Amino acid sequence: QVQLVESGGGLVQPGGSLRLSCAASGNIWSLGTMDWYRQAPGKERELVATVTSGLTTNYADSVKGRFTVSRDNAKNTVYLQMNTLKPEDTAVYYCRAYVMLRYGDGFLEHWGLGTLVTVSS
């Protein structure tokens, strides 16, 4: 019943910016840690950025200083602001979230279906 839907992907020139969104919907009591992953063709999926429920953030070294992850708990949404984009940022970007469905339960892992980001001239 829980769904994560990414949006905001598209084609952008090197040096440009893009903002991704991931909205969680369904019978959600609470959202824990939310992450952004990406996967390029022929490559393994890699962790890009993380934001915890306490708003602690972490980034892959390759995106530090360029990407910013944030969340809006009132909207059950996590964002990834991507600046100074490089061709090597081209990938399908996936959202992951840990979701508590009912008060007192544990958190369950959910994944979105991804949104494609292409950085090219």
Side-chain angles (χ1 to χ4, degrees):
Q1 188 171 346
V2 174
Q3 288 187 318
L4 302 179
V5 180
E6 301 97 335
S7 62
L11 176 64
V12 64
Q13 293 184 334
S17 298
L18 215 56
R19 191 178 82 152
L20 305 183
S21 299
C22 173
S25 62
N27 189 20
I28 300 170
W29 176 260
S30 181
L31 285 171
T33 295
M34 304 181 78
D35 313 282
W36 287 99
Y37 284 76
R38 68 185 181 188
Q39 187 168 24
K43 303 291 181 63
E44 293 191 345
R45 188 172 298 188
E46 64 173 341
L47 178 63
V48 176
T50 294
V51 57
T52 69
S53 60
L55 303 183
T56 299
T57 58
N58 287 284
Y59 300 91
D61 288 340
S62 59
V63 307
K64 284 182 179 177
R66 300 189 298 120
F67 290 12
T68 302
V69 63
S70 61
R71 64 193 289 163
D72 185 339
N73 289 334
K75 297 180 179 180
N76 288 338
T77 300
V78 62
Y79 304 94
L80 186 66
Q81 178 66 47
M82 304 184 295
N83 298 324
T84 319
L85 283 162
K86 304 175 181 179
E88 51 262 43
D89 295 319
T90 297
V92 176
Y93 284 71
Y94 298 91
C95 174
R96 183 183 72 170
Y98 289 92
V99 181
M100 181 182 290
L101 300 178
R102 298 176 182 177
Y103 174 73
D105 287 349
F107 288 91
L108 299 177
E109 185 184 35
H110 291 267
W111 288 87
L113 296 179
T115 184
L116 177 62
V117 172
T118 302
V119 185
S120 177
S121 297

